[in-house]
Every structure is written in structure tokens, then in C-alpha cells.
Amino acid sequence: MKITRMHGAGGKIMQDLIKNIILKNLEITSVNGGIGLESLDDSATIPIGDKEIVFTVDGHTVKPIFFPGGDIGRLAVSGTVNDLAVMGAKPLALSLSLIIPEGFNLEDLEKIIKSINETTKEAEVAIITGDTKVSDGVDDVIISTAGVGIVDRGKAIRDCGVKEGDAIIVSGNIGEHGLAILLSREGFDFETDIKSDVAPINKLIEKVLSEGIQINAMKDPTRGGLADALNEMAEKSNIGITIFEDKLPISEEVQSLCDILGLDPLTIANEGKVVMAVKKEDAERCLEILKEHPLGKNAEIIGYATKEHKGVVMETIVGRRIVDMPIGDPIPRVC
């Protein structure tokens, strides 16, 4: 058996690779009793005194490297910042590692670095260390970023903390990033205004937390989309999640293109969204706060957590549909 692109596309195939090959051959440890590799959360933590250092790493091989709404530089910063933010942490600093193909255009490299700089300003984080390599063995630039943040000890938000009765909230329209990549890569002759949603969402999450909203679990629905994120949250929390089809924030343009291309918007990657499991009593206030922010203007309460079933179930106009964890993201190399 050989590695295929589906092994890096989120979903069940990637999960199996991580559990059966990678984790199986690593000694699983944590540091000072923090959240470790075995948790497979968006970040790990290292408790120090009354704080916890939150640490994450991300690699980016998106194709094309420039796409409607963003580029690989903005994607690298946003993806790493968001992995810290959904743990409830304040992102502080990033590393930046570049693998540049021999013959790469210097003007394009400068555009990417400027985009990285603009996005770090937006997120209010700093690039404090890095590495640069040039290789004749890659076909396009590859960026790897690691990030550190900080949270009060014991206050990190896990993706396994969903509780019965929690409202499930998504911060905006889904499916835009993956479709923007697909349309740009394949050159489909569609007249469309679809752009990637790629953005750092740490300020959006900080606003919700600063208002005292009780968030029991969070995740950013990247590879594998909302379906993958919800299934992970449900499985790790040992609970079921019911969502409502008519509450899903999907633009008419995204839905129409998915219908034409035979894609399910629930399984398509997002790069500027967060899924929250919020205490029921705080749900409406949380929604109000999200909608006050430009990145949360299309936020919706899409369902609730329940012990009546396991997994994810969607209520539709024709009945119930099981929302399985996807085999993989239907659009490879989106991040």
C-alpha cells in the first residue's frame, strides 16, 4: 500500500493513517500533565505555573498558491493562529519555515511574504523565528508554521467537551475555501464570486470569551469540512449531535455549484470558521456577539448535543440523514 493524497485530506483515511502508522510507532507522552499528542486536538499544552503554553504546528501545500480571497501565506498564518484560538488560547508568536523550489519567481515569493506580514498584523501575532530551504525536489513553495499561545491553567477548551443540551454554533457560511481552490485550480467556466474565507479568527473568539460565554468545545472545520469537525467532536465527547439542514449557513452560490459538481458542502474545507458547543443558556447571546463581528455576520445555531443517539444526524425536509465522517476532503491540497 502506498500513500495517496487522500491520506492528507482529512476524514477517515487520514485518521486511520495517523492512528495506525504514526501514533502506533511513537511513544505517546505529554509534558507536565498537559494535553498531549494522544488527544489529537488542534493544539497541545504545557502547564507552567498558573498558565499553560499552547503549541501547534501546521504544513501547507495548497495548489494553486494564489487563489480568490487569499494565498498560501495568508493560509499558513491563519491556519496556525486558528488552531491556537480554538483551544481558548491567546496566540502570541509563530515560526516560519519555507521550502522554495529552485527557479521559483522572486516576485511571487515577495507577494507571499507581504501577505504573511499583513495577516500577522491582523491577528496581532509575531513571526519570531524561521528557516529557509531551496530544493529541486518540490513543485511549488511549501510553508510550515508552528505557533505558541497562552491560556490560564485548566482553561484550555478541548474538542471533547461537548455536553448534553449544548447549542452547536457555526460562525458563518461553509464550503467557500474548498470551492474557491477547486474553481481556481481546474479553471471551470463558471461566473462566480466565490472567494476563500481564509482569515485569522482569534479576535472573533476572544470577543466571545471576553463576554463570559461558556464554550464547552471548539474546533475549526478545515479539511473534511463541518462533517468531519462535528463527527470528531461527537465521538470524542461520547455524545450525539443533531443539526438542522435549514439552519446551515450555506450561500446560494456555494449550494448551486455543489449541486452541479456533485459535492456535499458539509465535507468541503473552511479556513476562517469555528464550530462551538455552547451552554444552552448562553447560545443566543453568543450568536449576537458573533454577528457583531465581520467574520461572524452569518453565524447560526445549527443544532444541539443529545444523548438520544451517537454520531451526527441531520434533520431535513424529508427526514433524518446520518452525517458520516467523510472518507476524505473531496478537494485535495486545499491547505
Side-chain angles (χ1 to χ4, degrees):
M1 182 177 177
K2 296 185 181 296
I3 294 291
T4 71
R5 286 184 179 178
M6 289 298 286
H7 284 98
K12 189 175 185 308
I13 290 180
M14 190 176 81
Q15 292 280 342
D16 288 346
L17 174 71
I18 292 170
K19 292 175 182 176
N20 298 331
I21 301 296
I22 299 174
L23 296 187
K24 176 183 170 184
N25 291 288
L26 290 176
E27 182 179 352
I28 308 303
T29 60
S30 60
V31 178
N32 293 345
I35 300 168
L37 185 60
E38 72 281 356
S39 298
L40 293 179
D41 215 322
D42 289 292
S43 301
T45 70
I46 304 172
I48 299 176
D50 61 351
K51 302 291 183 182
E52 292 187 58
I53 299 298
V54 184
F55 177 64
T56 193
V57 65
D58 223 339
H60 305 273
T61 64
V62 64
K63 183 178 181 180
I65 58 173
F66 298 102
F67 47 84
D71 55 71
I72 191 171
R74 180 170 178 81
L75 180 64
V77 173
S78 298
T80 306
V81 165
N82 294 348
D83 279 349
L84 296 170
V86 296
M87 299 291 291
K90 176 180 176 58
L92 298 175
L94 307 179
S95 68
L96 174 65
S97 174
L98 301 169
I99 301 177
I100 307 166
E102 189 175 15
F104 191 73
N105 191 309
L106 277 175
E107 292 180 357
D108 285 344
L109 180 61
E110 188 169 20
K111 284 169 62 177
I112 291 168
I113 299 302
K114 286 182 176 179
S115 179
I116 287 171
N117 187 55
E118 291 170 3
T119 312
T120 56
K121 287 182 178 180
E122 187 178 336
E124 296 182 9
V125 297
I127 303 285
I128 60 171
T129 189
D131 182 58
T132 304
K133 298 288 191 299
V134 175
S135 171
D136 60 3
V138 296
D139 63 355
D140 222 333
V141 65
I142 297 172
I143 298 180
S144 179
T145 42
V148 292
I150 195 164
V151 66
D152 289 340
R153 188 164 187 154
K155 297 295 185 181
I157 299 173
R158 311 286 299 277
D159 60 4
C160 62
V162 185
K163 294 178 171 40
E164 184 179 16
D166 280 354
I168 306 300
I169 301 176
V170 63
S171 63
N173 291 352
I174 63 172
E176 294 171 338
H177 175 72
L179 272 184
I181 295 294
L182 178 66
L183 296 175
S184 181
R185 180 191 301 162
E186 304 300 335
F188 288 119
D189 191 20
F190 297 128
E191 289 188 9
T192 175
D193 294 323
I194 292 176
K195 295 180 179 179
S196 169
D197 63 340
V198 59
I201 54 174
N202 54 316
K203 296 302 176 183
L204 175 68
I205 293 172
E206 281 178 20
K207 178 63 175 173
V208 174
L209 291 172
S210 71
E211 294 290 333
I213 300 298
Q214 183 175 323
I215 303 174
N216 291 324
M218 271 196 290
K219 202 160 190 68
D220 54 337
T222 54
R223 287 172 294 178
L226 184 61
D228 186 84
L230 291 176
N231 272 282
E232 276 199 59
M233 293 169 78
E235 182 179 347
K236 289 181 177 181
S237 304
N238 193 30
I239 204 162
I241 292 176
T242 296
I243 60 175
F244 299 93
E245 185 176 39
D246 62 352
K247 294 296 185 182
L248 294 175
I250 305 172
S251 72
E252 289 184 11
E253 197 169 18
V254 165
Q255 187 63 65
S256 296
L257 280 169
C258 284
D259 291 343
I260 292 169
L261 297 171
L263 298 172
D264 182 353
L266 286 170
T267 67
I268 296 176
N270 312 273
E271 288 293 345
K273 300 295 184 295
V274 59
V275 184
M276 299 175 171
V278 175
K279 184 180 178 182
K280 182 180 179 180
E281 290 78 7
D282 288 347
E284 291 296 336
R285 177 58 184 146
C286 179
L287 191 64
E288 290 176 7
I289 296 166
L290 288 169
K291 285 181 174 290
E292 290 170 358
H293 194 285
L295 295 178
K297 63 182 180 181
N298 295 313
E300 292 288 350
I301 300 172
I302 64 168
Y304 62 92
T306 178
K307 289 186 177 179
E308 293 180 0
H309 62 80
K310 297 297 183 183
V312 182
V313 172
M314 182 164 68
E315 298 280 359
T316 76
I317 58 173
V318 295
R320 286 189 158 197
R321 166 194 159 193
I322 295 173
V323 180
D324 288 320
M325 177 175 286
I327 299 300
D329 195 299
I331 306 168
R333 288 193 66 177
V334 294
C335 58

